């Protein structure tokens, strides 16, 4: 009989395959658009022999958008992976917990008070989005907490839904104060438009995301222990509460930063970890990096499709992700029942 590959070998193969797919999609994306460039022209740009127009298309428009799509996908994939592990619930994600509503409200507050343009927004907006996400997360846990009882994931999700309704009411009130430009930005944000495709924003987002992802990967062993439950985690020598808080803050920070400069992509945080788990299993040493790659692949693929295929109307990347992912989400719900 043919020997089966070890889980580690299989995981490495899957990660390499996903990386190659991302590279192929990126090459297609950088060569496609309203003004097509041939692979030879793109290569000439990279070796410094491109024209001014070609340099502008690649370096000022397409490459920043590709990097943003990849970074947003990485942040959302890891965030969803951590939340599903901490809550031991496959339906957990920044979106289903209602954290997206808190983030969206604080992004809206920023738009009402400040201008979205300028370098300051690249720093202030992610921080304010993080505050909104953390506020929502803290309220959810406080309201779902019952003395002497473990927090039920179902209670957390229901509490998140209830709080999301309240956040939505405040959001509607604030939208009445928006002018045409502000309203246009918020509509694109809620629809999942990759708006922060500018190197000024990426210089802030990329280090933030990569540092937090490295922290989560460093805690892979802790995540494996927490997945088994609090009692077993303590038995394995894990300081459950401090580790839980640290990883939860990292998850909220990743999702908040990603969507603040990318748009509403919370659905990626739900499906990317599921796909990754089917590819490499439950060991977070492989699950975390695979969730990074899967999230990046989903966002980059959806953005490439939305830019290169004419649907008769401009469809935001987030909307396309939702349309393509809804069947899989319904499948997950049917398996959960």
């Amino acid at each position: 009989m043919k020997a089966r590959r070890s889980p580690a070998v299989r995981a490495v193969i899957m990660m390499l395959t996903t990386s190659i797919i991302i590279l192929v999609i990126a090459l297609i994306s950088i060569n496609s658009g309203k003004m097509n460039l041939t692979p030879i022209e793109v290569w000439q740009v990279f070796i410094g022999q491109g024209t001014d127009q070609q340099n502008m298309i690649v370096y000022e428009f397409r490459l920043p958008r590709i990097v943003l799509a990849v970074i947003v996908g990485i942040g959302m994939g890891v965030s969803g992976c951590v939340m599903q592990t901490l809550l031991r619930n496959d339906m957990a994600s920044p979106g289903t917990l209602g954290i997206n509503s808190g983030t969206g409200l604080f992004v809206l507050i920023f738009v009402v008070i400040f201008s979205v343009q300028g370098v300051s927004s690249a720093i202030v907006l992610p921080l304010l989005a993080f505050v909104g996400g953390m506020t929502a997360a803290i309220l959810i846990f406080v309201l779902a907490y019952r003395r002497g009882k473990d927090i039920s994931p179902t209670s957390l999700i229901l509490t998140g839904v209830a709080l999301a309704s309240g956040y939505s009411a405040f959001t509607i009130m604030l939208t009445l104060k928006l002018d045409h430009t502000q309203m246009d930005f918020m509509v694109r944000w809620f629809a999942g438009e990759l708006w922060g495709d500018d190197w000024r924003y990426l210089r802030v987002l990329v280090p933030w995301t990569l540092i937090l992802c490295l922290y989560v990967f460093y805690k892979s062993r802790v995540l494996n222990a927490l997945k088994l439950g609090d009692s077993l985690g303590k038995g394995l020598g894990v300081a459950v509460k401090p580790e839980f808080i640290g990883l939860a803050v990292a998850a909220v920070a990743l999702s908040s930063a990603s969507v603040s400069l990318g748009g509403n992509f919370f659905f990626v945080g739900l499906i990317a970890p599921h796909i990754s788990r089917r590819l490499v299993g439950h060991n977070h040493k492989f699950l975390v990096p695979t969730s990074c790659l899967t999230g990046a692949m989903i966002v980059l693929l959806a953005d490439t499709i939305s830019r290169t295929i004419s649907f008769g109307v401009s469809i935001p990347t987030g909307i396309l992700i939702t349309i393509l992912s809804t069947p899989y989400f319904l499948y997950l719900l049917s398996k959960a029942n």
Side-chain angles (χ1 to χ4, degrees), residues 248-292:
V249 170
V252 174
L254 277 169
S255 65
S256 300
S258 297
V259 302
S260 66
L261 297 179
N264 193 343
F265 286 95
F266 289 98
F267 210 73
V268 178
L270 176 64
I271 61 174
H274 280 280
I275 297 173
S276 302
R277 209 171 282 116
R278 289 179 177 273
L279 293 176
V280 301
H282 296 271
N283 187 346
H284 287 80
K285 182 179 179 181
F286 307 117
L287 181 58
V288 170
T290 306
S291 295
C292 285

mmCIF file of all heavy atoms in Angstrom, residues 248-292:
data_model
loop_
_atom_site.group_PDB
_atom_site.id
_atom_site.type_symbol
_atom_site.label_atom_id
_atom_site.label_comp_id
_atom_site.label_asym_id
_atom_site.label_seq_id
_atom_site.Cartn_x
_atom_site.Cartn_y
_atom_site.Cartn_z
ATOM 1 N N ALA A 248 -7.550 37.371 22.416
ATOM 2 C CA ALA A 248 -8.793 38.030 22.016
ATOM 3 C C ALA A 248 -8.518 39.470 21.566
ATOM 4 O O ALA A 248 -9.075 39.942 20.568
ATOM 5 C CB ALA A 248 -9.789 38.012 23.167
ATOM 6 N N VAL A 249 -7.653 40.171 22.307
ATOM 7 C CA VAL A 249 -7.294 41.547 21.924
ATOM 8 C C VAL A 249 -6.592 41.544 20.570
ATOM 9 O O VAL A 249 -6.859 42.396 19.716
ATOM 10 C CB VAL A 249 -6.402 42.183 23.005
ATOM 11 C CG1 VAL A 249 -5.818 43.510 22.511
ATOM 12 C CG2 VAL A 249 -7.190 42.417 24.281
ATOM 13 N N ALA A 250 -5.700 40.580 20.354
ATOM 14 C CA ALA A 250 -4.994 40.490 19.069
ATOM 15 C C ALA A 250 -5.977 40.249 17.924
ATOM 16 O O ALA A 250 -5.854 40.837 16.844
ATOM 17 C CB ALA A 250 -3.950 39.373 19.119
ATOM 18 N N ALA A 251 -6.977 39.379 18.158
ATOM 19 C CA ALA A 251 -7.971 39.084 17.118
ATOM 20 C C ALA A 251 -8.786 40.314 16.767
ATOM 21 O O ALA A 251 -9.024 40.609 15.583
ATOM 22 C CB ALA A 251 -8.882 37.949 17.585
ATOM 23 N N VAL A 252 -9.227 41.055 17.801
ATOM 24 C CA VAL A 252 -10.013 42.273 17.553
ATOM 25 C C VAL A 252 -9.157 43.325 16.865
ATOM 26 O O VAL A 252 -9.614 44.018 15.942
ATOM 27 C CB VAL A 252 -10.585 42.816 18.876
ATOM 28 C CG1 VAL A 252 -11.266 44.160 18.646
ATOM 29 C CG2 VAL A 252 -11.573 41.827 19.480
ATOM 30 N N ALA A 253 -7.893 43.445 17.283
ATOM 31 C CA ALA A 253 -6.996 44.428 16.666
ATOM 32 C C ALA A 253 -6.755 44.105 15.198
ATOM 33 O O ALA A 253 -6.725 45.007 14.344
ATOM 34 C CB ALA A 253 -5.668 44.468 17.420
ATOM 35 N N LEU A 254 -6.591 42.830 14.874
ATOM 36 C CA LEU A 254 -6.371 42.428 13.486
ATOM 37 C C LEU A 254 -7.589 42.743 12.616
ATOM 38 O O LEU A 254 -7.457 43.322 11.535
ATOM 39 C CB LEU A 254 -6.066 40.930 13.414
ATOM 40 C CG LEU A 254 -4.620 40.508 13.676
ATOM 41 C CD1 LEU A 254 -4.524 38.998 13.839
ATOM 42 C CD2 LEU A 254 -3.719 40.972 12.541
ATOM 43 N N SER A 255 -8.771 42.347 13.089
ATOM 44 C CA SER A 255 -9.974 42.583 12.289
ATOM 45 C C SER A 255 -10.265 44.070 12.148
ATOM 46 O O SER A 255 -10.617 44.547 11.063
ATOM 47 C CB SER A 255 -11.176 41.854 12.904
ATOM 48 O OG SER A 255 -11.494 42.378 14.179
ATOM 49 N N SER A 256 -10.096 44.818 13.245
ATOM 50 C CA SER A 256 -10.402 46.253 13.208
ATOM 51 C C SER A 256 -9.464 47.000 12.267
ATOM 52 O O SER A 256 -9.906 47.844 11.467
ATOM 53 C CB SER A 256 -10.311 46.845 14.615
ATOM 54 O OG SER A 256 -11.227 46.228 15.490
ATOM 55 N N ALA A 257 -8.170 46.709 12.351
ATOM 56 C CA ALA A 257 -7.204 47.392 11.486
ATOM 57 C C ALA A 257 -7.434 47.031 10.023
ATOM 58 O O ALA A 257 -7.372 47.887 9.141
ATOM 59 C CB ALA A 257 -5.777 47.026 11.900
ATOM 60 N N SER A 258 -7.722 45.760 9.776
ATOM 61 C CA SER A 258 -7.900 45.307 8.395
ATOM 62 C C SER A 258 -9.083 45.987 7.733
ATOM 63 O O SER A 258 -8.979 46.490 6.611
ATOM 64 C CB SER A 258 -8.092 43.786 8.358
ATOM 65 O OG SER A 258 -6.937 43.118 8.833
ATOM 66 N N VAL A 259 -10.217 46.001 8.414
ATOM 67 C CA VAL A 259 -11.415 46.549 7.786
ATOM 68 C C VAL A 259 -11.442 48.072 7.822
ATOM 69 O O VAL A 259 -12.145 48.693 7.027
ATOM 70 C CB VAL A 259 -12.701 45.986 8.431
ATOM 71 C CG1 VAL A 259 -12.726 44.477 8.329
ATOM 72 C CG2 VAL A 259 -12.846 46.426 9.873
ATOM 73 N N SER A 260 -10.686 48.687 8.731
ATOM 74 C CA SER A 260 -10.699 50.154 8.787
ATOM 75 C C SER A 260 -10.119 50.751 7.507
ATOM 76 O O SER A 260 -10.612 51.773 7.014
ATOM 77 C CB SER A 260 -9.902 50.649 9.999
ATOM 78 O OG SER A 260 -8.524 50.329 9.864
ATOM 79 N N LEU A 261 -9.086 50.133 6.956
ATOM 80 C CA LEU A 261 -8.476 50.626 5.729
ATOM 81 C C LEU A 261 -8.854 49.798 4.513
ATOM 82 O O LEU A 261 -8.480 50.132 3.391
ATOM 83 C CB LEU A 261 -6.942 50.649 5.871
ATOM 84 C CG LEU A 261 -6.401 51.589 6.942
ATOM 85 C CD1 LEU A 261 -4.892 51.514 6.998
ATOM 86 C CD2 LEU A 261 -6.848 53.018 6.703
ATOM 87 N N GLY A 262 -9.591 48.712 4.739
ATOM 88 C CA GLY A 262 -9.980 47.864 3.626
ATOM 89 C C GLY A 262 -11.456 47.920 3.320
ATOM 90 O O GLY A 262 -11.872 47.974 2.180
ATOM 91 N N GLY A 263 -12.285 47.914 4.336
ATOM 92 C CA GLY A 263 -13.725 47.852 4.149
ATOM 93 C C GLY A 263 -14.302 46.691 4.935
ATOM 94 O O GLY A 263 -13.582 45.971 5.644
ATOM 95 N N ASN A 264 -15.587 46.489 4.819
ATOM 96 C CA ASN A 264 -16.294 45.473 5.606
ATOM 97 C C ASN A 264 -16.059 44.082 5.009
ATOM 98 O O ASN A 264 -16.753 43.657 4.096
ATOM 99 C CB ASN A 264 -17.790 45.792 5.625
ATOM 100 C CG ASN A 264 -18.521 44.972 6.667
ATOM 101 O OD1 ASN A 264 -18.020 43.968 7.160
ATOM 102 N ND2 ASN A 264 -19.717 45.393 7.019
ATOM 103 N N PHE A 265 -15.066 43.365 5.551
ATOM 104 C CA PHE A 265 -14.714 42.034 5.052
ATOM 105 C C PHE A 265 -14.837 40.977 6.150
ATOM 106 O O PHE A 265 -14.076 40.011 6.173
ATOM 107 C CB PHE A 265 -13.276 42.024 4.520
ATOM 108 C CG PHE A 265 -13.115 42.718 3.204
ATOM 109 C CD1 PHE A 265 -12.731 44.047 3.161
ATOM 110 C CD2 PHE A 265 -13.350 42.059 2.014
ATOM 111 C CE1 PHE A 265 -12.585 44.702 1.952
ATOM 112 C CE2 PHE A 265 -13.207 42.699 0.801
ATOM 113 C CZ PHE A 265 -12.823 44.023 0.762
ATOM 114 N N PHE A 266 -15.796 41.137 7.046
ATOM 115 C CA PHE A 266 -15.878 40.236 8.191
ATOM 116 C C PHE A 266 -16.248 38.804 7.789
ATOM 117 O O PHE A 266 -15.944 37.861 8.513
ATOM 118 C CB PHE A 266 -16.894 40.776 9.202
ATOM 119 C CG PHE A 266 -16.418 42.008 9.908
ATOM 120 C CD1 PHE A 266 -16.807 43.274 9.496
ATOM 121 C CD2 PHE A 266 -15.556 41.909 10.978
ATOM 122 C CE1 PHE A 266 -16.359 44.415 10.134
ATOM 123 C CE2 PHE A 266 -15.096 43.041 11.628
ATOM 124 C CZ PHE A 266 -15.498 44.293 11.209
ATOM 125 N N PHE A 267 -16.888 38.633 6.647
ATOM 126 C CA PHE A 267 -17.281 37.298 6.215
ATOM 127 C C PHE A 267 -16.059 36.419 5.964
ATOM 128 O O PHE A 267 -16.115 35.197 6.117
ATOM 129 C CB PHE A 267 -18.138 37.394 4.952
ATOM 130 C CG PHE A 267 -19.138 36.285 4.821
ATOM 131 C CD1 PHE A 267 -20.262 36.257 5.623
ATOM 132 C CD2 PHE A 267 -18.951 35.258 3.920
ATOM 133 C CE1 PHE A 267 -21.184 35.236 5.519
ATOM 134 C CE2 PHE A 267 -19.876 34.240 3.800
ATOM 135 C CZ PHE A 267 -20.991 34.224 4.602
ATOM 136 N N VAL A 268 -14.938 37.053 5.580
ATOM 137 C CA VAL A 268 -13.700 36.305 5.342
ATOM 138 C C VAL A 268 -13.231 35.637 6.631
ATOM 139 O O VAL A 268 -12.707 34.518 6.612
ATOM 140 C CB VAL A 268 -12.606 37.234 4.792
ATOM 141 C CG1 VAL A 268 -11.289 36.483 4.587
ATOM 142 C CG2 VAL A 268 -13.050 37.863 3.482
ATOM 143 N N GLY A 269 -13.444 36.320 7.763
ATOM 144 C CA GLY A 269 -13.040 35.758 9.047
ATOM 145 C C GLY A 269 -13.824 34.527 9.436
ATOM 146 O O GLY A 269 -13.406 33.767 10.326
ATOM 147 N N LEU A 270 -14.968 34.305 8.793
ATOM 148 C CA LEU A 270 -15.768 33.114 9.079
ATOM 149 C C LEU A 270 -15.353 31.931 8.226
ATOM 150 O O LEU A 270 -15.186 30.817 8.724
ATOM 151 C CB LEU A 270 -17.251 33.426 8.847
ATOM 152 C CG LEU A 270 -18.221 32.249 9.019
ATOM 153 C CD1 LEU A 270 -18.214 31.756 10.467
ATOM 154 C CD2 LEU A 270 -19.626 32.650 8.597
ATOM 155 N N ILE A 271 -15.165 32.156 6.929
ATOM 156 C CA ILE A 271 -14.965 31.020 6.035
ATOM 157 C C ILE A 271 -13.501 30.617 5.856
ATOM 158 O O ILE A 271 -13.208 29.439 5.635
ATOM 159 C CB ILE A 271 -15.592 31.299 4.653
ATOM 160 C CG1 ILE A 271 -14.951 32.521 3.998
ATOM 161 C CG2 ILE A 271 -17.089 31.469 4.766
ATOM 162 C CD1 ILE A 271 -15.426 32.760 2.579
ATOM 163 N N ALA A 272 -12.556 31.570 5.965
ATOM 164 C CA ALA A 272 -11.144 31.237 5.745
ATOM 165 C C ALA A 272 -10.639 30.174 6.731
ATOM 166 O O ALA A 272 -9.959 29.223 6.317
ATOM 167 C CB ALA A 272 -10.282 32.493 5.817
ATOM 168 N N PRO A 273 -10.921 30.293 8.046
ATOM 169 C CA PRO A 273 -10.457 29.247 8.971
ATOM 170 C C PRO A 273 -11.079 27.883 8.692
ATOM 171 O O PRO A 273 -10.432 26.851 8.895
ATOM 172 C CB PRO A 273 -10.888 29.776 10.347
ATOM 173 C CG PRO A 273 -11.029 31.244 10.173
ATOM 174 C CD PRO A 273 -11.533 31.414 8.776
ATOM 175 N N HIS A 274 -12.340 27.865 8.236
ATOM 176 C CA HIS A 274 -12.997 26.588 7.931
ATOM 177 C C HIS A 274 -12.308 25.882 6.772
ATOM 178 O O HIS A 274 -12.034 24.677 6.831
ATOM 179 C CB HIS A 274 -14.476 26.830 7.595
ATOM 180 C CG HIS A 274 -15.336 27.021 8.790
ATOM 181 N ND1 HIS A 274 -15.793 25.970 9.545
ATOM 182 C CD2 HIS A 274 -15.808 28.134 9.382
ATOM 183 C CE1 HIS A 274 -16.522 26.433 10.546
ATOM 184 N NE2 HIS A 274 -16.546 27.745 10.466
ATOM 185 N N ILE A 275 -12.039 26.628 5.719
ATOM 186 C CA ILE A 275 -11.352 26.047 4.576
ATOM 187 C C ILE A 275 -9.969 25.553 4.986
ATOM 188 O O ILE A 275 -9.543 24.456 4.612
ATOM 189 C CB ILE A 275 -11.247 27.080 3.439
ATOM 190 C CG1 ILE A 275 -12.643 27.467 2.941
ATOM 191 C CG2 ILE A 275 -10.401 26.544 2.292
ATOM 192 C CD1 ILE A 275 -12.647 28.603 1.945
ATOM 193 N N SER A 276 -9.270 26.358 5.788
ATOM 194 C CA SER A 276 -7.921 25.997 6.235
ATOM 195 C C SER A 276 -7.939 24.748 7.102
ATOM 196 O O SER A 276 -7.053 23.889 6.992
ATOM 197 C CB SER A 276 -7.305 27.164 7.015
ATOM 198 O OG SER A 276 -7.269 28.331 6.225
ATOM 199 N N ARG A 277 -8.954 24.647 7.953
ATOM 200 C CA ARG A 277 -9.048 23.478 8.833
ATOM 201 C C ARG A 277 -9.240 22.193 8.033
ATOM 202 O O ARG A 277 -8.727 21.141 8.401
ATOM 203 C CB ARG A 277 -10.201 23.698 9.821
ATOM 204 C CG ARG A 277 -10.024 23.006 11.156
ATOM 205 C CD ARG A 277 -11.075 23.445 12.148
ATOM 206 N NE ARG A 277 -10.773 24.752 12.698
ATOM 207 C CZ ARG A 277 -11.509 25.819 12.533
ATOM 208 N NH1 ARG A 277 -12.614 25.770 11.816
ATOM 209 N NH2 ARG A 277 -11.161 26.967 13.068
ATOM 210 N N ARG A 278 -9.980 22.285 6.947
ATOM 211 C CA ARG A 278 -10.174 21.115 6.093
ATOM 212 C C ARG A 278 -8.895 20.765 5.332
ATOM 213 O O ARG A 278 -8.679 19.611 4.960
ATOM 214 C CB ARG A 278 -11.315 21.369 5.107
ATOM 215 C CG ARG A 278 -12.689 21.394 5.780
ATOM 216 C CD ARG A 278 -13.794 21.666 4.772
ATOM 217 N NE ARG A 278 -15.098 21.613 5.431
ATOM 218 C CZ ARG A 278 -15.807 20.512 5.595
ATOM 219 N NH1 ARG A 278 -15.334 19.348 5.160
ATOM 220 N NH2 ARG A 278 -16.977 20.546 6.189
ATOM 221 N N LEU A 279 -8.055 21.763 5.094
ATOM 222 C CA LEU A 279 -6.825 21.533 4.346
ATOM 223 C C LEU A 279 -5.705 20.958 5.211
ATOM 224 O O LEU A 279 -4.990 20.046 4.775
ATOM 225 C CB LEU A 279 -6.353 22.839 3.704
ATOM 226 C CG LEU A 279 -7.218 23.425 2.587
ATOM 227 C CD1 LEU A 279 -6.661 24.767 2.135
ATOM 228 C CD2 LEU A 279 -7.305 22.470 1.406
ATOM 229 N N VAL A 280 -5.541 21.497 6.439
ATOM 230 C CA VAL A 280 -4.362 21.128 7.241
ATOM 231 C C VAL A 280 -4.695 20.569 8.615
ATOM 232 O O VAL A 280 -3.786 20.203 9.369
ATOM 233 C CB VAL A 280 -3.411 22.341 7.396
ATOM 234 C CG1 VAL A 280 -2.951 22.849 6.037
ATOM 235 C CG2 VAL A 280 -4.072 23.471 8.182
ATOM 236 N N GLY A 281 -5.974 20.524 8.995
ATOM 237 C CA GLY A 281 -6.317 19.983 10.302
ATOM 238 C C GLY A 281 -6.389 21.059 11.375
ATOM 239 O O GLY A 281 -6.473 22.255 11.083
ATOM 240 N N HIS A 282 -6.333 20.635 12.639
ATOM 241 C CA HIS A 282 -6.593 21.522 13.773
ATOM 242 C C HIS A 282 -5.336 22.032 14.479
ATOM 243 O O HIS A 282 -5.445 22.827 15.412
ATOM 244 C CB HIS A 282 -7.474 20.797 14.799
ATOM 245 C CG HIS A 282 -8.837 20.455 14.271
ATOM 246 N ND1 HIS A 282 -9.911 21.308 14.370
ATOM 247 C CD2 HIS A 282 -9.295 19.361 13.612
ATOM 248 C CE1 HIS A 282 -10.988 20.755 13.816
ATOM 249 N NE2 HIS A 282 -10.633 19.569 13.340
ATOM 250 N N ASN A 283 -4.175 21.570 14.093
ATOM 251 C CA ASN A 283 -2.936 22.024 14.721
ATOM 252 C C ASN A 283 -2.655 23.467 14.306
ATOM 253 O O ASN A 283 -2.430 23.748 13.125
ATOM 254 C CB ASN A 283 -1.772 21.121 14.321
ATOM 255 C CG ASN A 283 -0.485 21.447 15.076
ATOM 256 O OD1 ASN A 283 -0.368 22.503 15.711
ATOM 257 N ND2 ASN A 283 0.472 20.559 15.024
ATOM 258 N N HIS A 284 -2.668 24.383 15.283
ATOM 259 C CA HIS A 284 -2.539 25.814 14.964
ATOM 260 C C HIS A 284 -1.159 26.185 14.435
ATOM 261 O O HIS A 284 -0.990 27.262 13.871
ATOM 262 C CB HIS A 284 -2.873 26.652 16.192
ATOM 263 C CG HIS A 284 -4.339 26.668 16.498
ATOM 264 N ND1 HIS A 284 -4.955 25.637 17.162
ATOM 265 C CD2 HIS A 284 -5.314 27.583 16.203
ATOM 266 C CE1 HIS A 284 -6.247 25.910 17.292
ATOM 267 N NE2 HIS A 284 -6.486 27.069 16.719
ATOM 268 N N LYS A 285 -0.193 25.321 14.608
ATOM 269 C CA LYS A 285 1.117 25.568 14.015
ATOM 270 C C LYS A 285 1.000 25.658 12.501
ATOM 271 O O LYS A 285 1.753 26.383 11.841
ATOM 272 C CB LYS A 285 2.086 24.444 14.412
ATOM 273 C CG LYS A 285 3.502 24.633 13.892
ATOM 274 C CD LYS A 285 4.393 23.496 14.355
ATOM 275 C CE LYS A 285 5.816 23.660 13.826
ATOM 276 N NZ LYS A 285 6.695 22.544 14.263
ATOM 277 N N PHE A 286 0.062 24.908 11.937
ATOM 278 C CA PHE A 286 -0.192 24.951 10.498
ATOM 279 C C PHE A 286 -1.476 25.712 10.168
ATOM 280 O O PHE A 286 -1.591 26.312 9.101
ATOM 281 C CB PHE A 286 -0.292 23.524 9.943
ATOM 282 C CG PHE A 286 0.879 22.660 10.281
ATOM 283 C CD1 PHE A 286 0.728 21.528 11.069
ATOM 284 C CD2 PHE A 286 2.147 22.981 9.836
ATOM 285 C CE1 PHE A 286 1.814 20.729 11.389
ATOM 286 C CE2 PHE A 286 3.239 22.190 10.151
ATOM 287 C CZ PHE A 286 3.072 21.059 10.935
ATOM 288 N N LEU A 287 -2.443 25.682 11.091
ATOM 289 C CA LEU A 287 -3.741 26.308 10.834
ATOM 290 C C LEU A 287 -3.634 27.824 10.739
ATOM 291 O O LEU A 287 -4.271 28.446 9.877
ATOM 292 C CB LEU A 287 -4.726 25.923 11.935
ATOM 293 C CG LEU A 287 -6.150 26.480 11.812
ATOM 294 C CD1 LEU A 287 -6.777 26.061 10.492
ATOM 295 C CD2 LEU A 287 -7.010 26.023 12.988
ATOM 296 N N VAL A 288 -2.825 28.445 11.605
ATOM 297 C CA VAL A 288 -2.698 29.909 11.594
ATOM 298 C C VAL A 288 -2.098 30.413 10.277
ATOM 299 O O VAL A 288 -2.684 31.292 9.621
ATOM 300 C CB VAL A 288 -1.890 30.403 12.811
ATOM 301 C CG1 VAL A 288 -1.557 31.891 12.666
ATOM 302 C CG2 VAL A 288 -2.663 30.160 14.105
ATOM 303 N N PRO A 289 -0.930 29.898 9.839
ATOM 304 C CA PRO A 289 -0.402 30.400 8.553
ATOM 305 C C PRO A 289 -1.291 30.056 7.364
ATOM 306 O O PRO A 289 -1.382 30.833 6.410
ATOM 307 C CB PRO A 289 0.965 29.712 8.433
ATOM 308 C CG PRO A 289 0.949 28.584 9.392
ATOM 309 C CD PRO A 289 0.019 28.972 10.488
ATOM 310 N N THR A 290 -1.969 28.898 7.418
ATOM 311 C CA THR A 290 -2.866 28.547 6.314
ATOM 312 C C THR A 290 -4.070 29.474 6.282
ATOM 313 O O THR A 290 -4.565 29.840 5.207
ATOM 314 C CB THR A 290 -3.332 27.086 6.434
ATOM 315 O OG1 THR A 290 -2.190 26.236 6.536
ATOM 316 C CG2 THR A 290 -4.135 26.669 5.212
ATOM 317 N N SER A 291 -4.577 29.880 7.459
ATOM 318 C CA SER A 291 -5.667 30.849 7.511
ATOM 319 C C SER A 291 -5.231 32.189 6.930
ATOM 320 O O SER A 291 -6.013 32.870 6.249
ATOM 321 C CB SER A 291 -6.145 31.037 8.958
ATOM 322 O OG SER A 291 -6.708 29.855 9.479
ATOM 323 N N CYS A 292 -3.973 32.577 7.186
ATOM 324 C CA CYS A 292 -3.412 33.786 6.553
ATOM 325 C C CYS A 292 -3.511 33.686 5.040
ATOM 326 O O CYS A 292 -4.037 34.589 4.362
ATOM 327 C CB CYS A 292 -1.940 33.942 6.930
ATOM 328 S SG CYS A 292 -1.590 34.513 8.590
#
